[in-house]
Amino acid sequence: MESLASLGKAALGMLQGAIRPSERNSFLFPRGTPRSTLNRRINTQRRFATQQFEQARIQQLADDTDSTVNEILTYLCGSSLRRFFKEYNALPDEPLVGVMPVSLQERGDHVAGNAIAGLRLPLGTNVGDPMARLEAVKRSMKEVREDRASLPEEAITSYVLMRAAPVYASQLAGVGQFVPPLFNLGVTNTQGSEKPLYVNGARLEAVYPMSQLMQFSALSIDCVNYAGTFNIGFTGARDTLPHLQRLAVYLGKALEDLEELVASGEVA
């Protein structure tokens, strides 16, 4: 009850302007997400694009830049999005925000059922310099990990319900268009099989994840590792995101560009 009361007080304080803007970008009360092309109403038609990398390439870049694999993958997503939207002169001044679903069950073993929440992660799309963009992503990842760790175990159920409310509200007819977006797109990285799989003796070459899209969220970038590769699926609303395959191509180009920067010695 004490944790629920503290959450309620914090929410009321934010509504009354008691929380300074610099303090709003937290796990509990994130700073506003820029409205973008991705947050328009979508229809039922979808596009799907794919990209695949050798896991060793991502791991090598992570080692060379003192980063984690997740940070490199997030950087590549942000770099791809930046180039894609600059082509259409539709890149927001503020960084696009991805939401990463994570389990909070391990934070509170007493919670019955699933406890899933979304970590909001700025993708550094507003940063022009590649290395500065990577550092921005690393700072964002560090901040969300610290915010997640600061959530009291006894507050998990209250938090999950509270954070889910505006997402559900955004899906209601006649209401959703007035709900400020909590994120611009979904970004996931799922653990897959480390060994090759076979069906009737035929080797499974790749696994590409396809995501479900919610209204006012036109894109999801999803990754699964399989047998030494990273397989990335881009699920997008067809009319909102024409030429979706370009995102996959630009993500590959971002990987090559970062490798060239590392090889040239521009990374300290």
Side-chain angles (χ1 to χ4, degrees):
M1 291 298 294
E2 292 181 1
S3 62
L4 182 58
S6 64
L7 284 174
K9 290 179 181 179
L12 180 60
M14 187 175 185
L15 291 175
Q16 294 175 340
I19 300 179
R20 296 189 298 273
S22 61
E23 296 176 332
R24 292 178 187 171
N25 192 24
S26 68
F27 188 51
L28 295 178
F29 297 107
R31 189 175 299 155
T33 301
R35 284 194 177 273
S36 75
T37 303
L38 298 174
N39 300 113
R40 295 176 179 174
R41 181 178 293 278
I42 64 175
N43 58 22
T44 59
Q45 304 301 314
R46 300 287 179 265
R47 291 186 184 274
F48 187 68
T50 63
Q51 181 60 274
Q52 184 185 68
F53 303 122
E54 293 296 324
Q55 191 169 341
R57 295 178 68 186
I58 305 297
Q59 185 62 61
Q60 186 62 55
L61 281 175
D63 295 340
D64 291 340
T65 60
D66 193 25
S67 307
T68 67
V69 168
N70 276 340
E71 287 168 349
I72 294 297
L73 290 173
T74 303
Y75 161 83
L76 294 176
C77 290
S79 300
S80 175
L81 289 164
R82 174 180 170 82
R83 179 168 178 176
F84 183 85
F85 283 109
K86 278 181 68 68
E87 281 194 350
Y88 294 96
N89 196 27
L91 184 69
D93 293 333
E94 296 296 318
L96 292 172
V97 175
V99 63
M100 295 183 174
V102 296
S103 172
L104 299 178
Q105 186 66 50
E106 69 275 12
R107 296 294 321 284
D109 294 335
H110 61 282
V111 178
N114 293 327
I116 304 296
L119 293 181
R120 297 172 70 259
L121 184 67
L123 301 176
T125 54
N126 60 325
V127 181
D129 180 78
M131 298 314 303
R133 190 181 314 127
L134 176 58
E135 290 303 316
V137 167
K138 291 168 67 172
R139 287 194 300 271
S140 297
M141 294 284 279
K142 182 175 184 289
E143 289 173 1
V144 296
R145 284 194 293 263
E146 291 175 349
D147 287 336
R148 178 172 179 260
S150 69
L151 182 66
E153 291 186 7
E154 61 272 17
I156 289 177
T157 298
S158 302
Y159 172 75
V160 171
L161 293 175
M162 181 181 70
R163 291 293 290 125
V167 176
Y168 292 138
S170 69
Q171 304 305 298
L172 298 176
V175 175
Q177 59 183 323
F178 301 109
V179 178
L182 292 177
F183 54 88
N184 300 113
L185 68 149
V187 180
T188 68
N189 182 20
T190 304
Q191 180 69 32
S193 173
E194 296 181 358
K195 298 180 179 180
L197 302 178
Y198 296 84
V199 178
N200 292 331
R203 187 183 190 274
L204 179 64
E205 294 297 333
V207 178
Y208 293 106
M210 180 179 292
S211 182
Q212 178 180 354
L213 298 181
M214 301 181 71
Q215 192 59 262
F216 303 108
S217 181
L219 175 67
S220 184
I221 304 177
D222 305 281
C223 177
V224 59
N225 67 301
Y226 165 68
T229 62
F230 279 109
N231 303 269
I232 304 173
F234 300 78
T235 308
R238 187 188 67 180
D239 294 343
T240 306
L241 291 173
H243 311 296
L244 181 65
Q245 184 62 37
R246 291 183 184 177
L247 269 174
V249 173
Y250 295 160
L251 197 144
K253 186 64 168 61
L255 175 61
E256 294 174 358
D257 291 345
L258 186 56
E259 288 175 329
E260 289 179 2
L261 285 174
V262 171
S264 66
E266 295 189 31
V267 178

